[in-house]
Amino acid sequence: MIVDELYVQEVCEKISISLSYELAWHHRVYKQAAKGEFLEELVSNATKHAGLNNEYIQGSHKVGEDQKIDGWRISNKSGVLEPDRGKWANSLKINGSRTSRYKSLESKLNFLSGDHYDFTLCCARIESEWKRGKRIYHLIALPHINYSSMNWSLRGDEVSDFAHTCIESHPDIYARINGPTTSYQLWTVFKPSMFLYNQKLDIDEWG
């Protein structure tokens, strides 16, 4: 199902303040950044505070889907923003599923491209900001990606890298599947042109 970009932006606008507040409360207890199930629960709480319908079962471990917002399947990611990467400046890097159960590249891509989620909500960080003591998250929304439709090539060294996409064919998105040491995990880098929404959440504004 293709989600309306305007709807994604509307959802993000509605939850941005309450999510910033939830993140601030998280850091009254924890110094570590909100990731994994912590982040999922904070997004769920923020969604409810914003008056949106939310379905979240902690630890459900569904493929792709972490929760539902108004019936739409959401994948939650943390991710890293990288402002100093030349042509890829301000790009967002996120990790994805491990694909070791699928043997061929085609079967891996079919799995990764499956109808598991509608869009992704990220709470990304710029590592240099956090090293300077600035606790800032970046709420970013990403579309569902059909990895099977992209041009891929196998790596020469299958131990460390298994396959990656062609940047010439896909100048705004780069994906790679690492080797067996990480169970053939997917990593994807998105240029800002791929973002459906991007908003800074400075949690220190809450005191």
Side-chain angles (χ1 to χ4, degrees):
M1 185 183 301
I2 299 176
V3 66
D4 184 357
E5 183 174 342
L6 291 178
Y7 171 80
V8 175
Q9 295 171 356
E10 181 180 347
V11 167
C12 292
E13 284 291 332
K14 286 182 177 179
I15 72 171
S16 60
I17 294 178
S18 54
L19 180 55
S20 178
Y21 181 75
E22 290 288 329
L23 288 164
W25 269 101
H26 169 86
H27 285 288
R28 291 191 177 191
V29 180
Y30 303 103
K31 292 183 179 180
Q32 298 295 322
K35 300 179 182 180
E37 291 186 356
F38 281 112
L39 178 58
E40 293 170 13
E41 190 165 351
L42 295 175
V43 171
S44 175
N45 292 342
T47 301
K48 294 173 183 176
H49 293 325
L52 300 173
N53 293 324
N54 180 266
E55 299 176 38
Y56 174 61
I57 301 176
Q58 188 175 15
S60 66
H61 300 298
K62 280 189 175 182
V63 175
E65 176 191 330
D66 293 310
Q67 59 188 287
K68 288 183 179 178
I69 299 177
D70 280 356
W72 294 97
R73 299 163 301 169
I74 309 301
S75 174
N76 292 125
K77 297 290 184 183
S78 48
V80 175
L81 268 176
E82 301 179 311
D84 302 319
R85 290 197 63 193
K87 293 181 179 180
W88 288 79
N90 302 311
S91 60
L92 171 65
K93 183 179 181 180
I94 64 173
N95 63 8
S97 298
R98 301 177 187 272
T99 64
S100 56
R101 78 182 78 172
Y102 304 97
K103 302 309 177 185
S104 68
L105 176 59
E106 180 181 6
S107 61
K108 293 177 189 296
L109 297 180
N110 287 337
F111 163 69
L112 295 170
S113 303
D115 185 25
H116 306 305
Y117 67 99
D118 296 308
F119 64 96
T120 298
L121 279 181
C122 299
C123 276
R125 295 176 301 120
I126 298 175
E127 292 180 346
S128 60
E129 288 181 336
W130 281 68
K131 288 179 180 178
R132 297 195 305 270
K134 295 183 178 181
R135 299 183 301 172
I136 297 173
Y137 288 88
H138 299 264
L139 178 60
I140 297 173
L142 300 169
H144 179 279
I145 301 300
N146 182 356
Y147 291 95
S148 294
S149 67
M150 302 174 72
N151 292 328
W152 289 76
S153 61
L154 295 174
R155 294 271 191 169
D157 178 12
E158 191 175 314
V159 175
S160 58
D161 292 306
F162 177 69
H164 67 115
T165 57
C166 174
I167 293 177
E168 288 75 17
S169 300
H170 314 288
D172 296 321
I173 180 173
Y174 172 75
R176 80 170 185 270
I177 298 174
N178 285 346
T181 55
T182 60
S183 301
Y184 295 97
Q185 187 174 26
L186 171 72
W187 289 86
T188 310
V189 181
F190 299 85
K191 281 188 177 180
S193 57
M194 295 289 294
F195 300 172
L196 303 179
Y197 182 86
N198 184 9
Q199 175 67 41
K200 181 190 296 184
L201 305 179
D202 187 347
I203 63 174
D204 287 327
E205 292 179 350
W206 294 99

